[in-house]
Amino acid sequence: MRNKNTKPFDFWIFAAVILLLSLGTIMVFSSSYYFSTQKTGESFMLLRPQLLYMALSIAVMVGTTNIDYRKWGKISPIILMISIGLLILVLIPGVGQNRNGAQRWLGVGSKTIQPSELAKLGIIMFLSFSLSKRKDVLQSFTKGLLPYLILVGFVAGLVVIEPHLSGTLIIVITSFILLFCAGAKISHFVAMAAPVIIGVVGAILAAPYRFNRVLAWLHPFDYYKDQGWQTVQSLLAIGSGGIFGRGLGQSMQKYLWIPEPYNDYIFAVFSEELGFMGALVVILLFLIFIWRGIKVAMNAPDTFGSLMATGITCLIGLQFLFNVAVVTNSIPPTGISLPFFSYGGTSLIFLMFGVGILLNISRYSNYERF
């Protein structure tokens, strides 16, 4: 029985997510069937597990929608500690799985989980809960802000070692937004800007492959045979889609021109098949999600709910912005999936876990839902 103080969950968030998930599942099949056929002779090789992930993620969303969000605050330290433990475990040689030079997965064979996805939610939960209990502590840099920065830096450091630069950026930016919303002084962030910029530049210069990615980003067609290959193929896909696209299933770039077109560059294939108008629909659905997520955060009944809603909205919104920016060559390629679209189980399940929490917060928030 519903508590008399709760309301229906936010319809617009739910509708936007279900539509994105449905479109994404269709596009996983469209973008992967040629690859699947060439590899195994079975065109449904990736569609079947994706349908399973979709069903599991919806079940997770429904479950968390009906769990009082306040309960997650009490166990947030445990969730964060588990995620840190898994991040350490994945870096141990022979334990974590290495794919294409990145050691980000735990599991056996194709049955794996990506600990960084749990870490994203874990840090949001813990920061939201801790900051809601210590409202004035951030006014002091050494006693308030610094301990949180050390924690965020430690978690982000484990993720960047994998290496997983895009995951690191999302964790850091989302954490900074939460700290700012919780009352951290702007002057403190301004003072940290220089060392952060130096650190980012140093990380790029220290790894030749990152520096080459920057060069390929600036001049993709000069590096079209190697570092710029994916970017060039992505731009060709988007450009050839025109206003209305080639038609669903008619992409040419998915025929092994774009490596793994069902993953990081699925938005490029979608734009090629459904054109600018199709891409605009997807962008509008994400913008609706972000708009309603902010509305939930602004009208949450307590600070914890407000910060949690902010963090989850930022997590999904930033991942969307980064992915679209990468496929359009607006930022250097970082290897980041498109929420609710890209093939994969761990990311989708944890994202829908977050959506369920957001929907639960909306049931207690005071605003118009329709």
Side-chain angles (χ1 to χ4, degrees):
M1 182 179 295
R2 183 187 299 167
N3 187 299
K4 65 179 181 179
N5 293 322
T6 62
K7 308 173 183 68
F9 57 68
D10 191 289
F11 169 79
W12 292 102
I13 291 176
F14 176 80
V17 168
I18 294 300
L19 285 172
L20 286 169
L21 189 58
S22 301
L23 287 172
T25 303
I26 293 170
M27 282 310 302
V28 165
F29 174 63
S30 177
S31 60
S32 70
Y33 77 84
Y34 181 78
F35 167 83
S36 299
T37 303
Q38 291 295 305
K39 187 172 183 179
T40 66
E42 170 58 73
S43 59
F44 296 99
M45 182 187 76
L46 296 183
L47 178 63
R48 276 195 292 265
Q50 188 66 16
L51 287 172
L52 176 60
Y53 298 146
M54 179 182 180
L56 287 173
S57 67
I58 291 176
V60 168
M61 180 189 72
V62 172
T64 51
T65 299
N66 290 284
I67 298 175
D68 191 328
Y69 71 91
R70 299 172 186 88
K71 294 181 179 180
W72 299 111
K74 299 176 182 178
I75 63 172
S76 61
I78 299 174
I79 294 175
L80 181 60
M81 291 303 297
I82 291 173
S83 66
I84 290 174
L86 292 175
L87 287 175
I88 294 174
L89 197 62
V90 80
L91 296 174
I92 299 175
V95 177
Q97 287 194 14
N98 192 301
R99 300 177 187 174
N100 301 320
Q103 194 154 324
R104 305 175 187 171
W105 299 268
L106 288 172
V108 179
S110 60
K111 308 300 181 183
T112 60
I113 64 169
Q114 200 168 345
S116 59
E117 298 300 330
L118 176 60
K120 293 174 185 176
L121 273 180
I123 196 74
I124 289 172
M125 287 182 178
F126 178 78
L127 288 179
S128 299
F129 180 71
S130 179
L131 291 170
S132 68
K133 300 296 181 182
R134 308 173 68 202
K135 297 181 180 179
D136 300 323
V137 71
L138 293 179
Q139 295 302 306
S140 168
F141 180 80
T142 54
K143 295 181 180 180
L145 184 60
L146 185 58
Y148 288 111
L149 293 178
I150 293 173
L151 173 64
V152 173
F154 178 68
V155 174
L158 291 174
V159 177
V160 81
I161 291 172
E162 294 181 351
H164 191 4
L165 184 59
S166 60
T168 305
L169 289 173
I170 288 175
I171 288 173
V172 170
I173 295 174
T174 301
S175 298
F176 276 26
I177 290 173
L178 286 177
L179 289 168
F180 175 74
C181 291
K185 293 181 178 179
I186 296 178
S187 58
H188 290 160
F189 288 108
V190 172
M192 291 187 297
V196 168
I197 293 172
I198 292 172
V200 171
V201 173
I204 292 173
L205 296 177
Y209 79 92
R210 290 183 186 139
F211 183 67
N212 289 334
R213 280 186 177 182
V214 174
L215 291 178
W217 166 57
L218 295 173
H219 310 285
F221 287 90
D222 292 342
Y223 293 82
Y224 75 94
K225 291 184 178 180
D226 40 62
Q227 292 286 338
W229 176 266
Q230 282 188 316
T231 299
V232 169
Q233 300 306 320
S234 176
L235 293 175
L236 289 174
I238 295 171
S240 62
I243 301 297
F244 299 105
R246 293 178 178 271
L248 186 62
Q250 301 302 310
S251 166
M252 300 300 294
Q253 300 306 115
K254 69 185 177 187
Y255 291 109
L256 306 185
W257 290 100
I258 298 179
E260 299 187 359
Y262 46 84
N263 210 323
D264 295 350
Y265 285 83
I266 195 170
F267 186 74
V269 177
F270 182 86
S271 299
E272 182 182 5
E273 294 190 350
L274 296 179
F276 172 78
M277 297 306 295
L280 184 61
V281 168
V282 171
I283 291 172
L284 286 175
L285 287 173
F286 274 110
L287 290 178
I288 288 171
F289 174 87
I290 294 170
W291 161 53
R292 299 303 289 192
I294 293 173
K295 201 169 186 65
V296 171
M298 292 177 64
N299 294 275
D302 55 29
T303 304
F304 174 57
S306 180
L307 291 175
M308 275 275 281
T310 299
I312 292 169
T313 303
C314 286
L315 169 63
I316 295 173
L318 285 171
Q319 197 159 319
F320 151 67
L321 290 173
F322 280 2
N323 180 272
V324 173
V326 166
V327 300
T328 56
N329 200 38
S330 301
I331 62 173
T334 59
I336 186 168
S337 60
L338 182 62
F340 316 119
F341 256 73
S342 297
Y343 173 80
T346 305
S347 176
L348 179 59
I349 289 171
F350 281 121
L351 286 176
M352 293 291 276
F353 186 97
V355 171
I357 295 174
L358 184 61
L359 288 174
N360 183 263
I361 298 171
S362 74
R363 296 177 65 179
Y364 295 89
S365 299
N366 185 26
Y367 66 100
E368 187 63 43
R369 281 153 184 73
F370 297 94

